[in-house]
Amino acid sequence: KGVQVFAPATVANLVCGFDVLGMALQQPQDVMTMRLRKEPGIVISHADGYDLPVEPEKNVAGASLLALMEEYSEKVGFEVIIDKRIKPGSGLGSSAASSAGAVVGANYLLGNPFSKEDLVRFAMNGEKVASGVKHADNIAPCIYGGVTLIQSIFPLNIVQLTAPPMYVTVVHPQIEVRTSDARQILRKEVQLKAAIKQWGNIAGLVAGFLKNDYDLIGRSLEDVIIEPVRSILIPGFDEVKKKSKEAGALGGGISGSGPSIFMLSKEEYVAKGVEDVMIDVYTRLGIEFKTYVTMIN
Ligand code: HSE
């Protein structure tokens, strides 16, 4: 028995919601082919040419599957072939896609014994391998789709949010920002004044999604805590953001821990205009890049 899994890219944080908000994109998607094996154990290979570890404990898909197998009543084995189309280190949830895809595929092959929340819990072990910390803001939208809120991580509580149709323009400047570094540089304390602004924005963003209020969404896409520190790692960030908004984008910011930048737009022609802005900025800076115009998945 075999299955092919399409695991979408995700944008974690959604600007103000560090570690608690995330959304799934329609493109790009990793493709994973999985089979049950007759013998127990996990065999992983890459069909994409990426030089990623294939030992189950060191591989994000493998670590997630090991967590799943620990809670399954019988001894089982899986073969996993990963074709990564989401570049590792892009800030688009590449490791989450492998982690989530693996446990979604395994659950299907076993006849769906686990809930979605179980699957998020298992896949968080992959994130631990990738970045040293368990966070679910890429995993949850990858598994649930759409926009998700992690109300609490221990114990895990995921809330699926509705959102109005929106276009997402993404630019991935081909520079390296490691999630672990991008977390390390953050200050551990937050000023009360900044915290008030931030939780106002998170609440505003969630309310904007639920009420289909594009203006409220746009006003709430502001991060006074994380972005000022992290954006220093991304050349062109301020210019992309400023000019994208001038081109009509609702707002946006760093995708996950970067270096990708995402912008939300109500209309497709605006999203394409935002792509032109991104192309212009990175061409002038002489930095290689890739862009996507897609929608929330
Ligand atoms: N919320 C995480 C961070 C996502 O911003 O560090 C990392 O992909």
Side-chain angles (χ1 to χ4, degrees):
K1 194 174 165 188
V3 66
Q4 202 168 41
V5 184
F6 294 86
T10 45
V11 171
N13 301 337
L14 295 182
V15 186
C16 49
F18 181 67
D19 277 1
V20 300
L21 288 173
M23 71 177 174
L25 302 180
Q26 288 182 359
Q27 291 298 332
Q29 298 189 342
D30 279 359
V31 184
M32 301 172 78
T33 311
M34 294 182 64
R35 269 181 220 97
L36 276 175
R37 278 162 42 92
K38 293 214 175 64
E39 315 79 46
I42 303 168
V43 179
I44 299 169
S45 58
H46 274 271
D48 46 33
Y50 286 119
D51 186 23
L52 295 165
V54 290
E55 300 92 330
E57 315 75 48
K58 293 186 192 156
N59 181 286
V60 298
S64 307
L65 286 174
L66 286 170
L68 175 143
M69 286 154 82
E70 211 162 282
E71 287 189 27
Y72 192 61
S73 45
E74 292 161 44
K75 283 217 171 320
V76 282
F78 299 101
E79 183 193 337
V80 191
I81 304 168
I82 306 174
D83 183 0
K84 286 208 89 49
R85 316 248 173 110
I86 311 164
K87 213 167 170 195
S90 55
L92 293 170
S94 180
S95 56
S98 297
S99 309
V103 293
V104 167
N107 194 41
Y108 174 83
L109 291 171
L110 297 175
N112 299 311
F114 297 110
S115 68
K116 281 185 183 168
E117 207 161 276
D118 290 332
L119 298 180
V120 172
R121 218 163 24 81
F122 301 143
M124 276 162 56
N125 289 278
E127 291 293 60
K128 178 105 203 279
V129 168
S131 70
V133 271
K134 285 189 177 182
H135 57 88
D137 49 346
N138 291 104
I139 301 278
C142 193
I143 290 178
Y144 284 71
V147 182
T148 54
L149 165 71
I150 321 292
Q151 184 272 331
S152 158
I153 191 146
F154 299 118
L156 190 59
N157 180 206
I158 297 159
V159 183
Q160 195 163 21
L161 304 176
T162 55
M166 270 180 287
Y167 290 87
V168 190
T169 317
V170 177
V171 63
H172 173 204
Q174 315 273 301
I175 53 169
E176 204 191 338
V177 175
R178 292 170 59 182
T179 298
S180 46
D181 295 340
R183 294 185 80 90
Q184 204 88 57
I185 59 169
L186 300 175
R187 280 190 290 268
K188 302 286 174 285
E189 273 94 39
V190 171
Q191 291 282 327
L192 183 60
K193 226 171 83 180
I196 293 167
K197 196 122 195 62
Q198 197 84 353
W199 59 55
N201 283 332
I202 299 171
L205 187 57
V206 170
F209 284 144
L210 298 181
K211 293 170 66 159
N212 295 350
D213 185 336
Y214 289 103
D215 289 338
L216 181 56
I217 291 170
R219 281 199 303 282
S220 307
L221 285 168
E222 177 199 33
D223 171 6
V224 297
I225 296 174
I226 311 292
E227 183 183 285
V229 182
R230 280 188 173 171
S231 59
I232 294 160
L233 304 173
I234 309 170
F237 178 82
D238 291 338
E239 194 182 353
V240 164
K241 198 167 157 178
K242 184 165 170 276
K243 291 193 172 155
S244 296
K245 282 205 200 160
E246 284 165 9
L250 297 167
I254 304 170
S255 177
S257 56
S260 290
I261 305 169
F262 81 101
M263 287 286 156
L264 294 178
S265 303
K266 193 173 161 188
E267 288 105 358
E268 189 176 18
Y269 79 90
V270 175
K272 288 192 169 149
V274 169
E275 184 183 31
D276 292 338
V277 164
M278 293 166 168
I279 292 171
D280 176 61
V281 170
Y282 284 102
T283 306
R284 261 190 298 109
L285 286 172
I287 296 171
E288 277 193 51
F289 64 92
K290 201 168 162 52
T291 55
Y292 302 90
V293 179
T294 183
M295 289 192 86
I296 300 180
N297 192 352

